[in-house]
Amino acid sequence: MVFVYASNSAFADGKPADHQFLNLSIEELMNIKVTTVSRRPQRLNQVASAVFVITQDDIRRSGATNIPDALRMAPGVQVERIGTNKWAVSIRGFDGRFSNKLQVLMDGRSVYSSLFSGTFWEQQDTMMEDIERIEVIRGPAATVWGVNAVNGVINIITKKASDTQGTLFTAGGGSFEHGFVGARYGGQFNDYTPFRIYAKGFSRDHTFSTFDTNNHDRWHSARGGFRVDHNRGIDQYTLQGDFFANSIGDTINKSQLDLPGIVSGHRGFEEGGNIRFRWDRTLSDRSSIMFQTYYDHVRHKILPIVDYRAQSFDLDFQHRFPLLDRHDLTWGANYRLYYSKFQDTAIIELDPRARTNHVYSGFIRDDITLIPEQLVFTLGTRLDHNDFTGLEVQPNARLMWTPDNENSIWMAVSRAVRTPSRAENDIHINALQLREIPGVPLQLPFPILVAFQGSHHFDSEKLIAYELGYRHQFTPQASVDIAGFVNDYSQLRDASFGALSFSTGLPKQIVLPTIVNNQASALTYGFEISTDWKPIDKWRLQGNYSFLEMQINSNPLTKQLDATSSGADKANPQHQVSIRSNYDISDKLETNLWLRYISHLAYFDIPGYVTMDAKLTYKPARNIELFIVGQNLFSQHHQERVADLIPSMPVLVPRGVYAGVQWRF
């Protein structure tokens, strides 16, 4: 379900815009427009897709201090914390440290890494107060956003500079959130050119490990950036940039990796930045032109695990126009360059060390009105050419029926592909060292070294998806959204194994060579239900339930070694529940409760858990907030996931309490 409120100035109606949310009815919220589904504004009852939008008010009331934790609000999204600075985030299954079937965007700028096929979430941040909304598409969106938008798309959209005028200061700290501070200033160069600048920093404590009391994953971060908008007539220009530096750590699980010279704890750093330019020309309600380009640079070094540099450059063009009375056409083209240089470490080697990859794309989409205001048929396709597998075709067909203002039914059939990462082509990993292979009755006197090897013959993973959805508004204060899906995957990542052999030198090891291939397949199905209800004007209840069933055919041995692909049927929660209660006791005092249930993960032997977050906010003056937040309140600590690919120490997420202040002037 989508809930988005109109963005106003920071002091509209005498109070900050972020606090206007409960003044809107559910009916008004459902009429707000979203953009990520078709790359143009659409009302919710026009969207033939499973969409959920996390608003700025949702983020503020949740107490979430990072984007992955905020994503827990969306149905069908799996979010599991692996460490202080590491998460596994996916949609509709195949979760992992590098979830490779999820496209993530920041203001339409792709942050998907072609090096490991996934998103480094610790690098994706901004001031949480500057996020206008997060639009989450569940299901394929490859026709619009290209390869790797297989199971879904997450688009983090920040506010315009005109909506962040004045000064904002926030600071606080507590047990796990040791300390944080953020400042933002917005002004104007002239009447047509607002701007903002921001800076933030924080320090987060290490997670808890039962295997190593001296865990090394404390996280210290600093970030800053700017945005300038220029509006003149039918044209709007945006120039935006960010830079960051992270001091991060990791602890090697020596029961899995005990090579000579490897010590348990390691500290490292990440640093990088990006700059984005966008031009929009609005010719009419049905005609517009968009051009966007950006550059991104990252350095990541945690020895002996990973050490790389990566740069990306992107050009994106889109044109929308009407054809006759019943056709709304959108077409566009995209070029993306991704350069990475990897320094060999004790765990991971890439050959060649440096590589430049290019992706060329073109797409067309036609929204055909069959019955005005009631029935719309959408047909489109995208052509992508990449250096690993050549040309990929990703068509899509959707039907939207809106018989009246209270009901809407949609259905879709889509094809999407996940292209190989550079690692799957070039990598060599000494990742696991065990005296037995999990699930295999081998008892050997020497450790087993599982040596992963990439393959230049690795092909794209394929998906054919079938979706059906229904939305109903019971009253202006209550609504429900139901979405179901069946996903048929082919040519999924699997592995073949060579003959056991003894390594040369000391210590003696048994080597099991492993080469990736495309011999796995899967059938997944499930549904998500979202509800929204305002019993009274000052109280809002939001709930959702997600069900996921995964059936994967693959090499039985690979199922024990790859939790993100062959073993994903046991490594993703089958049931998820989220219930949020937001209640304004008065104009100055509000309470927010968030209850969550996640079912067990058999792959890691992690039991299901129930937890709750709570936030109490007091506003002694119009522009001042005092708040206290409790996170994971039902237990001292709990486990959410075990690291994959890189053998980090299993950790427990602790209970946390922090307090802070926010001041606007």
Side-chain angles (χ1 to χ4, degrees):
M1 181 176 284
V2 175
F3 325 111
V4 185
Y5 66 96
S7 177
N8 300 311
S9 66
F11 302 102
D13 299 327
K15 63 175 72 174
D18 292 350
H19 303 168
Q20 301 296 313
F21 185 67
L22 286 183
N23 293 335
L24 298 179
S25 68
I26 304 302
E27 183 179 32
E28 290 171 319
L29 293 170
M30 293 186 68
N31 284 326
I32 302 301
K33 296 181 179 180
V34 296
T35 59
T36 305
V37 175
S38 61
R39 295 172 62 136
R40 65 179 179 87
Q42 287 181 291
R43 295 201 316 270
L44 174 59
N45 60 5
Q46 297 175 334
V47 176
S49 184
V51 186
F52 189 96
V53 171
I54 302 165
T55 70
Q56 169 56 220
D57 193 73
D58 291 330
I59 295 170
R60 183 184 66 83
R61 289 176 178 270
S62 73
T65 58
N66 55 76
I67 293 171
D69 281 350
L71 291 171
R72 298 178 192 268
M73 288 182 264
V77 179
Q78 291 85 40
V79 179
E80 290 124 18
R81 197 161 198 157
I82 303 172
T84 297
N85 54 69
K86 297 180 287 294
W87 288 266
V89 180
S90 69
I91 294 177
R92 293 180 175 174
F94 296 98
D95 200 5
R97 174 74 172 90
F98 306 106
S99 298
N100 55 31
K101 298 174 181 61
L102 174 65
Q103 181 69 268
V104 181
L105 312 165
M106 293 281 289
D107 288 311
R109 172 178 62 88
S110 174
V111 296
Y112 184 95
S113 169
S114 298
L115 180 60
F116 290 110
S117 278
T119 300
F120 293 87
W121 285 101
E122 71 276 14
Q123 299 173 8
Q124 314 312 324
D125 193 17
T126 186
M127 282 196 70
M128 299 297 284
E129 295 83 1
D130 285 355
I131 298 175
E132 179 180 306
R133 64 187 187 272
I134 304 175
E135 297 186 0
V136 180
I137 301 176
R138 310 186 308 277
T143 301
V144 174
W145 296 106
V147 292
N148 309 318
V150 177
N151 281 8
V153 173
I154 296 172
N155 191 8
I156 300 121
I157 301 171
T158 60
K159 297 178 180 179
K160 297 179 180 179
S162 59
D163 296 330
T164 54
Q165 296 295 285
T167 301
L168 179 146
F169 176 80
T170 185
S175 56
F176 185 67
E177 298 283 345
H178 270 184
F180 58 89
V181 62
R184 180 189 73 207
Y185 174 73
Q188 291 186 334
F189 292 116
N190 55 48
D191 292 342
Y192 308 101
T193 314
F195 71 91
R196 72 163 172 263
I197 55 175
Y198 80 91
K200 66 175 291 187
F202 61 79
S203 176
R204 291 184 183 140
D205 201 2
H206 59 76
T207 49
F208 177 74
S209 173
T210 57
F211 302 94
D212 187 349
T213 57
N214 187 25
N215 203 14
H216 295 268
D217 66 348
R218 287 185 179 88
W219 183 11
H220 312 291
S221 179
R223 178 177 291 266
F226 71 92
R227 174 166 175 157
V228 180
D229 294 327
H230 179 74
N231 302 279
R232 180 80 69 165
I234 62 174
D235 294 312
Q236 176 176 314
Y237 304 92
T238 297
L239 182 65
Q240 187 173 12
D242 303 271
F243 60 90
F244 72 92
N246 286 331
S247 172
I248 55 180
D250 209 339
T251 302
I252 296 295
N253 185 355
K254 298 196 75 174
S255 68
Q256 289 187 293
L257 183 68
D258 198 13
L259 298 174
I262 296 293
V263 296
S264 178
H266 300 273
R267 296 295 299 175
F269 70 90
E270 294 176 317
E271 59 186 17
N274 63 81
I275 189 164
R276 177 181 74 102
F277 171 77
R278 175 169 173 144
W279 166 56
D280 288 276
R281 169 167 287 186
T282 303
L283 302 173
S284 69
D285 291 341
R286 298 178 61 191
S287 181
S288 62
I289 297 173
M290 184 280 293
F291 171 77
Q292 177 173 277
T293 183
Y294 67 82
Y295 169 79
D296 184 281
H297 176 268
V298 172
R299 174 74 195 278
H300 181 115
K301 182 176 182 180
I302 303 182
L303 293 175
I305 306 173
V306 291
D307 184 0
Y308 74 90
R309 297 177 183 268
Q311 301 177 66
S312 58
F313 174 72
D314 191 277
L315 295 170
D316 193 19
F317 174 80
Q318 175 183 303
H319 180 205
R320 178 192 173 206
F321 63 95
L323 181 65
L324 305 176
D325 292 333
R326 295 180 178 267
H327 296 264
D328 195 327
L329 281 169
T330 304
W331 70 276
N334 176 266
Y335 166 72
R336 180 174 172 82
L337 176 149
Y338 190 87
Y339 169 82
S340 59
K341 183 177 182 180
F342 197 94
Q343 194 69 31
D344 292 345
T345 68
I347 300 176
I348 302 175
E349 301 173 3
L350 266 70
D351 182 22
R353 290 183 176 179
R355 183 190 285 271
T356 301
N357 298 115
H358 308 268
V359 178
Y360 306 88
S361 305
F363 76 92
I364 187 167
R365 170 190 171 108
D366 187 9
D367 295 314
I368 307 167
T369 302
L370 302 179
I371 302 176
E373 303 297 329
Q374 289 193 10
L375 192 61
V376 176
F377 177 62
T378 299
L379 190 63
T381 192
R382 186 176 181 112
L383 306 177
D384 290 89
H385 186 278
N386 69 88
D387 293 340
F388 294 124
T389 64
L391 183 66
E392 302 286 358
V393 182
Q394 301 178 97
N396 173 276
R398 295 179 181 270
L399 187 66
M400 185 76 199
W401 180 39
T402 310
D404 51 50
N405 293 331
E406 289 76 36
N407 297 279
S408 57
I409 301 172
W410 61 270
M411 59 187 68
V413 179
S414 311
R415 183 181 190 270
V417 303
R418 199 275 295 184
T419 56
S421 67
R422 190 191 156 199
E424 287 162 324
N425 272 257
D426 303 339
I427 203 167
H428 178 82
I429 308 178
N430 296 323
L432 296 175
Q433 184 163 345
L434 307 170
R435 290 190 175 273
E436 63 180 62
I437 299 176
V440 178
L442 291 177
Q443 298 292 333
L444 300 171
F446 301 104
I448 301 170
L449 177 63
V450 182
F452 286 91
Q453 181 68 48
S455 171
H456 296 304
H457 301 291
F458 187 74
D459 204 353
S460 293
E461 298 180 328
K462 313 294 196 300
L463 167 66
I464 302 295
Y466 308 90
E467 298 178 272
L468 180 66
Y470 172 65
R471 300 183 183 98
H472 177 68
Q473 186 167 329
F474 299 98
T475 71
Q477 306 301 328
S479 63
V480 65
D481 187 317
I482 304 172
F485 64 93
V486 176
N487 287 346
D488 186 3
Y489 300 88
S490 59
Q491 296 183 227
L492 289 180
R493 186 177 67 211
D494 203 353
S496 57
F497 299 91
L500 293 172
S501 63
F502 277 99
S503 66
T504 59
L506 296 174
K508 283 291 185 181
Q509 297 170 335
I510 296 177
V511 179
L512 179 62
T514 307
I515 301 177
V516 297
N517 60 38
N518 293 91
Q519 295 180 4
S521 61
L523 180 69
T524 71
Y525 58 89
F527 63 90
E528 301 108 13
I529 301 175
S530 299
T531 60
D532 198 349
W533 180 36
K534 290 183 65 176
I536 58 177
D537 288 343
K538 293 186 177 182
W539 188 20
R540 184 173 180 224
L541 294 170
Q542 296 169 273
N544 63 64
Y545 167 73
S546 304
F547 171 80
L548 173 66
E549 176 67 25
M550 305 183 71
Q551 300 171 359
I552 299 178
N553 297 313
S554 66
N555 187 320
L557 183 55
T558 312
K559 280 182 171 289
Q560 305 298 324
L561 300 174
D562 188 354
T564 64
S565 185
S566 299
D569 51 348
K570 303 296 184 181
N572 288 263
Q574 189 174 53
H575 308 279
Q576 293 190 114
V577 178
S578 171
I579 301 173
R580 288 182 287 152
S581 171
N582 301 326
Y583 184 72
D584 290 349
I585 298 174
S586 68
D587 291 340
K588 293 187 176 182
L589 187 64
E590 64 182 39
T591 60
N592 307 284
L593 302 175
W594 184 9
L595 180 73
R596 299 189 301 276
Y597 165 72
I598 309 295
S599 64
H600 78 290
L601 303 181
Y603 188 97
F604 305 109
D605 195 26
I606 297 176
Y609 66 90
V610 178
T611 190
M612 175 178 281
D613 295 350
K615 182 176 182 180
L616 181 67
T617 302
Y618 175 61
K619 307 167 190 173
R622 179 171 60 93
N623 300 325
I624 297 178
E625 281 189 9
L626 305 175
F627 52 86
I628 183 169
V629 178
Q631 297 175 316
N632 303 308
L633 294 177
F634 283 177
S635 61
Q636 184 178 356
H637 43 65
H638 68 275
Q639 190 174 17
E640 296 187 355
R641 193 178 177 88
V642 176
D644 49 77
L645 181 63
I646 298 173
S648 300
M649 184 68 70
V651 302
L652 305 177
V653 181
R655 176 193 293 135
V657 177
Y658 73 88
V661 60
Q662 186 178 107
W663 182 26
R664 300 170 183 261
F665 57 94

